[in-house]
Amino acid sequence: MGSQSNNRIFIFLGAFLAVAVLAVVIAVPLALSQNNVNGGDAAINILTEVPIIDGHNDWPYQLRRHLQNKINDIDFMTQNFSELYNGSHTDVPRMKIGKMGAQFWSCYCACAAGGKDAVRLGIEQIDVVRRYTEANPLIFQFTTTADEIMAANKEGKIACLIGIEGGHMIDSSLAALRTLFNLGTRYMTLTHSCDTPWATAFNTQ
């Protein structure tokens, strides 16, 4: 009896979900057509009101990997990094077209640097983010709070924030963590692909 009752519940839920999905599939295009708005225009309208906040971008690592952080001669507004450098999917023109509101730039170094020079490499990554942000004030604005993000967006700028990718980059030092925070870091993932003395990575057996 209980099994039959459960089956009826699952059948009912399945039918309800199917009807709900069908309603959305029909209603959304109908609403857009009635308002003479295509999907692309609707997306742009939404992103103008509620800009995207991207939580992870390895661009600083690509700048270190390909340019050794030598960025003084780079035109960030026109340079297509995704065509120049294999592994990069970022360039400012597409960020602007896509209505990127805020970007967390991820500062990263390999796990092999843990316990050696990871803290220094992290600071160098933060430094390059601060440098290209300050060198391009018409494009970027360095931010650390939600209010600052909103203020940057009102001026048509991409808000720049910093994240640290992996706890190995603080060398188990709270002093290092506080220093990275004072330099503008606003998140740190506990691990990357290696354990720390205080956290276990996803790939540990």
Side-chain angles (χ1 to χ4, degrees), residues 23-187:
V24 171
V25 169
I26 294 173
V28 170
L30 182 61
L32 292 175
S33 64
Q34 289 176 343
N35 290 286
N36 295 318
V37 178
N38 62 42
D41 290 339
I44 293 298
N45 291 339
I46 292 170
L47 293 175
T48 300
E49 295 296 324
V50 187
I52 289 175
I53 299 178
D54 186 350
H56 177 276
N57 190 316
D58 279 322
W59 207 22
Y61 173 73
Q62 298 298 333
L63 294 177
R64 175 160 63 91
R65 176 186 175 196
H66 295 291
L67 299 175
Q68 295 75 52
N69 292 341
K70 298 174 182 177
I71 60 171
N72 292 341
D73 297 327
I74 299 297
D75 184 346
F76 283 83
M77 191 60 226
T78 61
Q79 190 74 70
N80 190 330
F81 288 90
S82 59
E83 290 182 356
L84 280 179
Y85 306 120
N86 182 34
S88 176
H89 304 98
T90 297
D91 56 69
V92 171
R94 289 188 299 168
M95 294 177 78
K96 300 290 284 187
I97 292 171
K99 299 291 184 180
M100 179 69 72
Q103 177 68 73
F104 273 94
W105 302 108
S106 294
C107 297
Y108 162 78
C109 69
C111 285
K116 300 174 184 176
D117 53 357
V119 175
R120 175 181 62 81
L121 291 171
I123 291 174
E124 289 177 353
Q125 293 279 274
I126 292 172
D127 175 68
V128 79
V129 172
R130 300 295 295 257
R131 285 168 54 210
Y132 67 66
T133 299
E134 293 168 4
N136 296 275
L138 298 180
I139 305 171
F140 300 126
Q141 183 168 319
F142 191 80
T143 60
T144 57
T145 68
D147 287 342
E148 290 175 356
I149 292 174
M150 294 176 67
N153 290 168
K154 286 181 180 179
E155 295 182 10
K157 299 177 183 180
I158 299 169
C160 294
L161 302 99
I162 291 175
I164 293 293
E165 195 172 354
H168 65 285
M169 295 184 66
I170 64 169
D171 198 20
S172 297
S173 167
L174 290 178
L177 180 63
R178 285 189 290 268
T179 298
L180 296 180
F181 178 86
N182 290 334
L183 291 174
T185 301
R186 285 301 177 266
Y187 80 71

